[in-house]
Amino acid sequence: MKILIVDDTPANLEVLTTYCRRQGYSVVTAGDGAEVIEISLRESPDLILMAVGIPVMSGYEVASRIKDMLRDRWVPIILIIPQGEDQGLVIDDTCEADDYITKPINLKILRKKLRVMERVIEMQRILVESIKDLQGYYNKVEEEGRLAKQVMERIMRLEEGNKESVEYWIEPSNRFSGDLIAVARTPSNNIHIMLADVTGHGLCAALIVLSISRIFYS
């Protein structure tokens, strides 16, 4: 997990950076609000640990800007607030931060918060991958549907010359089905009609229908 640590006090920044690296995290740092915006876009951190009293923009303002910029993915923000600061500002609905920790920082509490966020980030990653897999499956089904529809339309075009002789209505419950009504007039002017219901659904059933219709019309 990559953590962006933000503090305008070099000593605090050094302590947090050393500690997080010892915990096995990758670390990038920033000293003011403008740097946070720039580094967030460039480095794509997984989590931001940020003091509220930084120059240029406060941690509250930066949190709001970050959340607005990174709408496509969730980046948790933990604010570091001074002892005695109004904690209601952090838990207020208008604050975009996800959690907070007070100064002086208790490193054991920080470690637990980081571990919790790490698990949530991992679950988010798994969820995103699952959504991508589902989207891929959906796209495959949609493509299959388009192919099957073309097949069925091809079959229906073979029957256009017989519409004046026989009227019928067939409609699949979804985009297509393995149902077929075929009509053809022989050279001796006899009408032949075939009703077919292929087992299965989708492209497989439609292809079988196509084979059956070719035999019928030949």
Side-chain angles (χ1 to χ4, degrees), residues 161-178:
N162 300 295
K163 287 184 178 178
E164 74 284 355
S165 304
V166 177
E167 291 184 3
Y168 63 87
W169 175 74
I170 181 171
E171 182 176 345
S173 60
N174 201 338
R175 178 178 293 172
F176 54 86
S177 69

Side-chain angles (χ1 to χ4, degrees), residues 19-179:
Y19 178 77
C20 289
R21 283 177 176 159
R22 285 178 178 173
Q23 296 301 312
Y25 300 119
S26 171
V27 175
V28 290
T29 62
D32 61 55
E35 277 190 314
V36 178
I37 303 297
E38 178 187 343
I39 294 173
S40 295
L41 294 174
R42 186 178 70 242
E43 298 288 343
S44 298
D46 300 302
L47 181 144
I48 299 174
L49 178 61
M50 177 169 52
V52 295
I54 54 177
V56 184
M57 285 183 287
S58 73
Y60 300 111
E61 294 176 279
V62 175
S64 180
R65 293 277 292 273
I66 292 293
K67 294 293 187 178
D68 190 56
M69 288 190 314
L70 304 180
R71 291 183 180 274
D72 58 330
R73 68 187 186 96
W74 178 65
V75 178
I77 298 175
I78 301 176
L79 291 180
I80 304 170
I81 65 174
Q83 188 74 39
E85 174 142 339
D86 184 6
Q87 297 177 5
L89 294 174
V90 186
I91 62 177
D92 186 83
D93 290 339
T94 59
C95 181
E96 297 290 348
D98 300 283
D99 202 350
Y100 71 93
I101 190 167
T102 59
K103 291 182 178 180
I105 295 176
N106 184 318
L107 294 179
K108 289 184 178 180
I109 294 176
L110 176 61
R111 182 176 59 187
K112 289 184 179 295
K113 288 180 180 289
L114 293 178
R115 291 286 185 260
V116 169
M117 290 298 182
E118 188 175 13
R119 287 195 292 270
V120 175
I121 290 169
E122 177 61 18
M123 287 189 290
Q124 181 197 34
R125 184 190 64 79
I126 294 172
L127 178 60
V128 169
E129 289 180 357
S130 298
I131 291 173
K132 287 181 179 178
D133 290 342
L134 288 173
Q135 185 63 49
Y137 174 76
Y138 174 79
N139 292 339
K140 183 179 179 181
V141 170
E142 283 292 297
E143 180 61 22
E144 180 179 299
R146 286 191 290 270
L147 289 173
K149 186 177 181 182
Q150 291 173 8
V151 169
M152 299 305 294
E153 287 176 347
R154 180 177 177 184
I155 295 171
M156 297 304 293
R157 282 197 296 271
L158 294 174
E159 303 176 5
E160 287 180 354
N162 300 295
K163 287 184 178 178
E164 74 284 355
S165 304
V166 177
E167 291 184 3
Y168 63 87
W169 175 74
I170 181 171
E171 182 176 345
S173 60
N174 201 338
R175 178 178 293 172
F176 54 86
S177 69
D179 300 328

